[in-house]
Amino acid sequence: MKKLVLSLIIFSLTFGMYSQIEQLSEVIIAPLNYRYLNAVNTEDTDSAVKLLEEKVAMYDLKGSELYDDEYETYTVSFYIPEGIILAAYDKDGKVIRTIEKFQNVKLPIAVQNSINRRFPNWKLEKDIYFVTYHLDNDDASKVRKQYKMTLRNDDEVIRIKANEDGDFL
């Protein structure tokens, strides 16, 4: 019995000596369209909008049936029940511009606060969120975000526009 216990201890100690520890280098996989994601995504963006924008950024153009080496740009449409994104890609798969439209999404806190301050007794009836993204030649991106909202107070209805910071247009 002593020999069995002693042999098990020796076996378990020697088994660990033969294991290898290999240091792996750190690998960071950045999407090709990180500029697009950084430009359009904010913390306050509705989750459905974020999900579709991530699909646009991660879309594998070269792996799709649309890809043909002879074209310079490709236009691809992405749909969800809340909205649509029409994205233009270059031949390398980089997002060069988008037009986005979403209905009845969660408004950013800045926009909600602006509405509550300026129209305290009004209810939000519906909203439309527009985003346009354009990548310039110098790799600088331009983004325009706009909210169109319909507010109701009893029988009165008004339509207002605001940017993402809550400034009325």
Side-chain angles (χ1 to χ4, degrees):
M1 184 70 168
K2 282 185 182 180
K3 288 182 182 181
L4 179 65
V5 172
L6 187 58
S7 63
L8 285 175
I9 292 174
I10 292 173
F11 179 71
S12 64
L13 290 176
T14 58
F15 189 67
M17 291 183 358
Y18 291 110
S19 65
Q20 296 178 357
I21 299 174
E22 189 173 322
Q23 190 79 11
L24 297 176
S25 61
E26 186 174 326
V27 177
I28 299 173
I29 300 173
L32 175 65
N33 296 308
Y34 70 92
R35 283 193 174 102
Y36 165 72
L37 275 180
N38 288 341
V40 296
N41 268 341
T42 57
E43 269 187 41
D44 250 0
T45 305
D46 187 82
S47 61
V49 175
K50 278 185 183 182
L51 177 68
L52 196 58
E53 289 173 341
E54 287 173 5
K55 286 188 186 254
V56 170
M58 301 298 180
Y59 182 69
D60 181 20
L61 179 69
K62 290 186 176 182
S64 76
E65 61 190 38
L66 299 173
Y67 186 73
D68 189 359
D69 228 4
E70 64 186 65
Y71 300 114
E72 291 295 316
T73 60
Y74 298 86
T75 304
V76 182
S77 300
F78 298 86
Y79 298 93
I80 57 172
E82 292 87 2
I84 180 174
I85 296 179
L86 185 63
Y89 295 88
D90 66 5
K91 64 182 177 181
D92 297 323
K94 185 186 258 185
V95 176
I96 50 178
R97 65 185 164 274
T98 65
I99 299 171
E100 307 174 23
K101 180 181 177 183
F102 298 93
Q103 294 183 352
N104 298 324
V105 295
K106 181 185 73 110
L107 297 175
I109 293 173
V111 175
Q112 290 176 12
N113 290 341
S114 293
I115 292 171
N116 290 336
R117 275 194 304 272
R118 190 160 175 193
F119 305 100
N121 296 325
W122 294 74
K123 285 185 180 179
L124 180 66
E125 198 166 82
K126 70 177 186 176
D127 65 86
I128 301 173
Y129 175 47
F130 294 100
V131 180
T132 56
Y133 168 83
H134 190 272
L135 182 68
D136 287 338
N137 292 338
D138 60 353
D139 281 345
S141 57
K142 295 180 183 177
V143 178
R144 183 171 161 240
K145 298 179 180 182
Q146 186 178 31
Y147 293 89
K148 290 184 180 182
M149 298 151 288
T150 303
L151 302 177
R152 179 179 290 278
N153 186 4
D154 294 329
D155 293 338
E156 292 181 78
V157 176
I158 59 171
R159 290 174 180 80
I160 58 174
K161 295 180 187 178
N163 64 12
E164 66 180 319
D165 298 323
D167 301 326
F168 293 103
L169 307 173

